[in-house]
Amino acid sequence: MLSTQATQRRLWRLVRFACVAVLICATLPTPALADPIRPASLHIAIDAGHGGGYSGAYYGGTAEKTLNLAIAKKVAATLRSRGYRVTLTRSDDTKVYRGGGIKTWLWDSKLDAYRYSDWPATDSTDRLRQDLQARCDVANASGADLFVSIHNNAASSSAVGAESYRAPNDPLGNQFAEDVQDELIDATGASDRGVHSAKFYVIRWSNMPAVLVECGFMSNSSELSRLRSSSYQGKVARGIADGIERFADRTVDETFDRWWGADRYETAAAVSRAGWDRAPAVVLASGVKFADSLVAAPLATKLGGPILTTGGDKLPNVIAGEIKRLAPSRIVVVGGPDSVPDSVVREAAAAAGLDVSKPAQVRRIGGRDRYEVSMNVAREMSSEPSTGVVVASGEVFPDALSIAASAAQKGQPILLASRARLAPQIKDYIVGGDKQRPVTVVGGTTTLPEAVLEGIEYTRLAGATRYETNWAVFNARYDEAARLRPVIASSQVFPDALVVGPLAAREGRPILLVGKSAMPGYVRQWVYNRRAEEIDAVVAGGPASISAYISKMFVKMEMNSY
C-alpha cells in the first residue's frame, strides 16, 4: 500500500511527464513502434560501489565501500529469493579491475568522439576508469538485463535523504530510476531527494538500463547510524528490489521489429509468416537437436521456403497450422528419424495435403551422422563448384549460425566437420573435381584445427569467442548498407537463429549474435560510430532469449544524448 506522500509524489511526476510529453509530441515526429513487449527471465547486475583501495566516503570509522557491499549483498539476496538471477560486480573488499589489458571509453579530441580502446593508465584517474569499466564489463559480459550501482553520499552534516541517478543517454533510465527511488523512499521513510541525470561512468557505459542509488548521507550522524544498522540496510535492499521489480513489470515499446512467439515453434511460425504468404516448399528440421538442422538454411533458400521446426514425436500444432497456411507442394525433411520421426513427417504431409509415399512431394535427406547429412544436403543443392562451400563445426552451433544467412544468400552449402576429422567424402566433394571449390572455414582452430583441413586451401573467419567469430563474418561477408540491417539473434540457444536464416538471406540481412543482453564492446563502438545513421534491425526470438530492452539499448549505445 502506498503512503499519501508517495501517491502525491507519483501524481506530480505524472503531471510533469504529461506536460513534457505534450510539448515533445507537438514538435517532433513519432518513430514507428513495434508492439509492446514484456520482459522475461530477468538477470540483474548489482554493483557495490568502490572497494579495495577505493574506500569512498569515510565517517565515524566506517568506509562507504563497506556499507555499499553490505547493502548490495542484501539486495542480491532479496532478488534471488524472488527468483531473479543476480550477478555482483564484487563480493568482497577488492577492486573489480585486477590487472591485465582492458579497453575503456574516453573522449578522443582528435576524433571529436568517444573511443573504446586500450588507453594507457598514467595516473589515478586512468586507473579509476579501468576499475569502473571492469564493473561495466562484469555486467555486460554476464548478460544482465538491468544494472544498479549502490553508493552512499557525503556532504554537509545537515544533508539527509536518498537519491537516484540515471544517464542522459539511457532512454529507459529515467523510468527505472523513478521506480527505484519511489520504492526506496516507501520502504525506508528517508527524505526524498529525487531523481537526477548524471554522467557517472558505470551508468553511461553499461549496456542495459542502469541506475546509481545514493542510499543516504554518511556525513549526517543520525543517518550514518541508520545506514550501519542491518535492519535498515534490509529496508534499503527491499526498497531497491521492489523498484527493480516494478520496472521489470513494465512493458517496453520496441523500435525494432521482433519475430517471435511463446516458444521456439511459435517463433519459427512467426518468422515464416513474416516472410511468406505461400511457399513452394518447406524444410522441416529439428528444433531440439541442432546437428542436422545447422545445414538447412542454404537448402531452404534454394527451395524458396522457410525452415519450420519440430520436436518430440508429435508435430506442434502451430507448425501444422503454418504448413497448412503455406500450402507447399513439397516438404523436405533434414535429418534422420532420430531428429524428425516418421510419425511427425506424416503429420506434416497431412497438413500440406501431400502424399508421404511420393518422394517428389515429401522427401527426407538423412545420413548415418550429422556429417553425412551435411554432405547429402550439399549434393541436393547441386551448386556449381565455383559457388564455393562453407565448412563449420558440427559439434557447436554458433559458428554455423553466424554464416548461415550469408551462405544461403550465396548458394553455398554448409559442410560439417569435427575437431578430429573431416569426413573423406566431404573432402573429396571439396577437392575431387578438376578444381578445388572455394572454401570458407568459420570458427577458430579450437573447433576446427588446421590438421583437420590439411590439403585444402581455405579462408578462415574466426575470433577468440563465438561473438568475435560472428563479428568476423558480419564484417567480411556484408557491405556497410547490409550491416545496418542486422537480424539480432541469440548465440546461446540455436532454434531462433536457425529459422531466420532463409528470411535473412532473402532480405540481405546479416545475423548478429548476442547473449540475452550481452553485447561486446566493439559492437557498441560500431553502433556509436553510426549514430547519425538509422540501424534497421530485427530481433529474432522472445524476451527470454533476447532482452526486451535491446532496441532501447541501441539508442543508449548511440550516445546521441551525453
Side-chain angles (χ1 to χ4, degrees), residues 292 366-374 421 425:
D292 295 339
R368 290 170 296 180
D369 56 28
R370 63 194 68 184
Y371 308 106
E372 188 170 87
V373 169
S374 74
R421 69 192 291 266
Q425 67 268 32

Side-chain angles (χ1 to χ4, degrees), residues 200-500:
F200 298 136
Y201 193 101
V202 291
I203 56 176
R204 294 178 83 195
W205 298 109
S206 48
N207 293 344
M208 64 284 297
V211 298
L212 185 147
V213 183
E214 295 279 7
C215 302
F217 278 83
M218 298 176 65
S219 49
N220 180 280
S221 58
S222 296
E223 197 142 283
L224 176 59
S225 179
R226 286 195 296 273
L227 290 167
R228 286 170 171 161
S229 163
S230 180
S231 62
Y232 187 78
Q233 291 172 5
K235 292 179 181 180
V236 172
R238 187 176 72 252
I240 293 173
D242 288 347
I244 291 169
E245 270 201 317
R246 180 171 153 192
F247 179 74
D249 196 45
R250 295 182 183 276
T251 58
V252 182
D253 290 322
E254 295 192 290
T255 51
F256 295 159
D257 285 335
R258 185 183 287 257
W259 301 330
W260 75 290
D263 60 25
R264 62 190 63 191
Y265 308 112
E266 290 193 11
T267 293
V271 171
S272 177
R273 288 192 298 271
W276 289 269
D277 293 326
R278 292 287 187 271
V282 164
V283 170
L284 188 64
S286 174
V288 178
K289 301 177 180 179
F290 70 80
D292 295 339
S293 306
L294 289 178
V295 301
L299 175 63
T301 298
K302 184 177 180 68
L303 296 175
I307 299 171
L308 295 175
T309 54
T310 185
D313 57 3
K314 181 172 174 54
L315 187 70
N317 290 337
V318 67
I319 298 299
E322 185 59 15
I323 291 173
K324 183 177 181 180
R325 186 190 71 82
L326 291 168
S329 57
R330 188 180 181 195
I331 293 175
V332 177
V333 181
V334 173
D338 286 344
S339 296
V340 183
D342 290 335
S343 59
V344 171
V345 177
R346 289 192 292 269
E347 290 183 71
L354 300 177
D355 188 341
V356 73
S357 68
K358 294 181 178 180
Q361 296 184 23
V362 181
R363 179 162 179 239
R364 182 191 293 276
I365 303 176
R368 290 170 296 180
D369 56 28
R370 63 194 68 184
Y371 308 106
E372 188 170 87
V373 169
S374 74
M375 181 69 264
N376 291 338
V377 168
R379 291 192 176 112
E380 179 75 13
M381 290 180 63
S382 301
S383 58
E384 291 294 324
S386 60
T387 302
V389 300
V390 170
V391 177
S393 172
E395 297 173 308
V396 295
F397 60 81
D399 297 344
L401 294 182
S402 287
I403 206 167
S406 173
Q409 187 178 3
K410 297 176 184 295
Q412 297 173 336
I414 299 173
L415 299 168
L416 301 181
S418 71
R419 293 179 181 86
R421 69 192 291 266
L422 179 69
Q425 67 268 32
I426 293 179
K427 184 171 183 179
D428 185 64
Y429 178 83
I430 293 171
V431 302
D434 295 334
K435 187 177 180 181
Q436 179 193 302
R437 296 172 186 263
V439 176
T440 299
V441 173
V442 60
T445 55
T446 301
T447 53
L448 291 176
E450 293 180 3
V452 168
L453 304 164
E454 188 176 356
I456 298 174
E457 295 181 7
Y458 58 87
T459 299
R460 188 188 289 270
L461 298 176
T465 67
R466 61 183 61 186
Y467 302 112
E468 290 184 16
T469 293
N470 174 252
W471 192 239
V473 172
F474 185 83
N475 286 287
R477 305 268 289 195
Y478 292 93
D479 61 22
E480 179 61 15
R483 290 196 291 269
L484 290 170
R485 305 176 63 248
V487 176
I488 301 170
S490 173
S491 69
Q492 298 169 325
V493 292
F494 80 91
D496 299 341
L498 167 71
V499 297
V500 300

